[in-house]
Amino acid sequence: MSRDTVNVALGARSYEVRIGQGLIAQAGRQIAPALRRKKVAVITDDTVAALHLMALAKSLEAEGIVMTALTIPPGESSKGWEQLARCTEWLLDQKIERRDVVIAFGGGVVGDLVGFASAILRRGVRFVQIPTTLLAQVDSSVGGKTGINTAQGKNLVGAFHQPSLVLADIDVLSSLPVRDFLAGYGEVVKYGLLGDAAFFDWLERHGPAMASGDAGLRQYAVKRSVEMKAGIVSRDETEEGERALLNLGHTFCHALEKATGYSDRLLHGEGVAIGCALAFELSQRLGLCSQEAPSRVRAHLRAMGTKVDLSDIQGDLPGAEALLALMGQDKKVVDGRLRFVLARSIGDAFVAEDVPPDLVKALLSEALQARG
Ligand code: GLY
């Protein structure tokens, strides 16, 4: 199968996202032209290291590139000050200089953390993203948002720092647990819902076969998602406007993630899927979209086997009022008002500033009651 390349057009900071099979095995050849000396520092996590680091090392070695690697513990708790300090100091110990390249090899946690370490190391070194989860391939590795979590919340400390290259190897998706793949799918479906009705139609037709493992369908889904993200990022890199559309489903998601303690009761992409369904329901109640739209969204998510409803979350959840309060702490709050991404139809989302809180509360109340 041929490879796809999507350009993220950002002037002097433009870069390519290369998408295809076998890209890790070819990483050395892909990265070599970007190097000014044949040395790279790779940061990954223990899970990815066990599965894929050997393949990456071999491909770098084949090009005569010396690799030095650091592994961090897997999971969201690594995305904080402790591992940031560890990574930056390790990079300094490895004598990584401004002209060198750091490789972020892993999912969203590794990409965000290593991207941020690269942004602040010597006031900014180049980095390459090799995303190994569906979520990272379609969302977090593209667009230059990097950062860490603090006691005050998620992603509140960070920087926009664009990678120099992204290599999305479709083959690595086969090593993901089904639940992780489907969680990443929440971000894929988001692109259809926010701006491409034809892509949503395509996902309705091909989503289940794609989830079952068809590499060609997976490559197309990743490519189309990245194309959409690249277009939005190149028009609005620092989220002054249009980029906020990428937060479809995220206001609900962040409240639910907080309510479940960022535990594996709810993975981020699962929260996005539930949040998208709720955002369409809210849009319908506001008279913005047809009744059919939220039903279609929910039916598709159900067919894919992802989480769809609050009843798909195990264990207790706080009441509607408390969930609403958690939304109020979201960093997407502007001047104390809740911002929601709502939709006029599938493929036509927009940012709404003045959603009546009572309506959101009523929606959450009903969704909570449906849990029984
Ligand atoms: N994940 C949302 C964004 O990159 O803007």
Side-chain angles (χ1 to χ4, degrees):
M1 201 177 349
S2 63
R3 183 168 308 141
D4 289 301
T5 299
V6 179
N7 188 46
V8 184
L10 286 167
R13 286 169 295 105
S14 297
Y15 55 96
E16 286 185 355
V17 182
R18 298 179 195 151
I19 305 156
Q21 294 187 269
L23 273 171
I24 291 177
Q26 291 173 23
R29 209 178 316 150
Q30 301 282 328
I31 292 167
L35 303 182
R36 301 201 186 118
R37 62 172 169 162
K38 291 204 158 190
K39 172 177 176 167
V40 291
V42 176
I43 301 181
T44 186
D45 69 26
D46 295 321
T47 310
V48 174
L51 291 166
H52 307 297
L53 188 58
M54 194 75 93
L56 179 62
K58 268 176 72 178
S59 89
L60 293 168
E61 195 187 331
E63 294 297 312
I65 300 166
V66 176
M67 178 194 97
T68 163
L70 174 71
T71 58
I72 61 168
E76 193 73 26
S77 59
S78 282
K79 211 176 116 174
W81 293 113
E82 190 187 334
Q83 294 299 332
L84 179 69
R86 184 171 167 226
C87 290
T88 45
E89 287 179 14
W90 177 79
L91 289 166
L92 291 170
D93 286 344
Q94 300 305 308
K95 309 223 176 330
I96 294 302
E97 298 169 4
R98 284 209 67 193
R99 65 203 181 106
D100 289 328
V101 168
V102 175
I103 298 179
F105 188 36
V109 167
V110 166
D112 286 8
L113 173 73
V114 177
F116 188 37
S118 305
I120 58 176
L121 188 82
R122 301 187 189 277
R123 300 197 178 87
V125 300
R126 294 172 302 148
F127 80 116
V128 170
Q129 290 265 22
I130 307 184
T132 56
T133 63
L134 181 59
L135 187 138
Q137 292 192 352
V138 299
D139 185 35
S140 57
S141 68
V142 180
K145 279 190 181 175
T146 72
I148 57 166
N149 307 326
T150 64
Q152 290 76 9
K154 280 186 76 173
N155 299 323
L156 293 178
V157 173
F160 285 100
H161 185 54
Q162 299 293 342
S164 303
L165 174 68
V166 182
L167 298 177
D169 186 336
I170 295 302
D171 289 336
V172 297
L173 301 178
S174 314
S175 59
L176 290 178
V178 173
R179 186 177 175 198
D180 286 343
F181 183 89
L182 289 176
Y185 186 77
E187 298 281 4
V188 174
V189 79
K190 178 189 83 175
Y191 290 106
L193 295 175
L194 74 87
D196 186 351
F199 184 43
F200 184 78
D201 292 346
W202 184 92
L203 290 169
E204 280 183 321
R205 282 198 305 281
H206 300 295
M210 184 198 74
S212 302
D214 186 302
L217 296 176
R218 286 180 172 191
Q219 184 164 327
Y220 178 76
V222 173
K223 180 189 94 154
R224 184 65 200 125
S225 301
V226 170
E227 278 174 350
M228 291 203 62
K229 179 145 190 187
I232 291 172
V233 166
S234 60
R235 291 187 293 272
D236 179 22
E237 182 182 10
T238 54
E239 202 169 314
E240 307 300 320
E242 186 186 358
R243 186 163 180 168
L245 295 180
L246 296 173
N247 298 323
L248 176 62
H250 282 62
T251 305
F252 287 110
C253 170
H254 289 156
L256 293 169
E257 282 185 293
K258 275 191 204 128
T260 49
Y262 302 101
S263 66
D264 68 0
R265 282 176 64 201
L266 184 73
L267 304 179
H268 175 71
E270 293 172 337
V272 172
I274 295 173
C276 284
L278 287 169
F280 269 79
E281 183 64 33
L282 185 58
S283 304
Q284 189 269 317
R285 289 183 185 204
L286 283 161
L288 295 163
C289 72
S290 69
Q291 283 196 333
E292 190 219 344
S295 311
R296 220 178 131 193
V297 174
R298 295 182 71 260
H300 175 57
L301 293 173
R302 245 327 140 231
M304 291 300 295
T306 75
K307 286 189 173 28
V308 184
D309 293 315
L310 298 193
S311 52
D312 296 323
I313 304 172
Q314 303 285 311
D316 290 341
L317 284 178
E321 185 81 49
L323 283 175
L324 198 62
L326 289 176
M327 283 176 193
Q329 292 165 24
D330 193 277
K331 73 178 185 308
K332 272 105 198 159
V333 175
V334 176
D335 296 336
R337 291 178 308 175
L338 264 187
R339 270 207 312 176
F340 277 94
V341 182
L342 297 178
R344 296 182 194 92
S345 63
I346 286 172
D348 183 9
F350 67 99
V351 178
E353 308 277 356
D354 290 319
V355 180
D358 285 351
L359 204 71
V360 181
K361 199 172 133 192
L363 172 66
L364 288 169
S365 233
E366 282 172 43
L368 286 164
Q369 268 164 25
R371 305 177 86 221

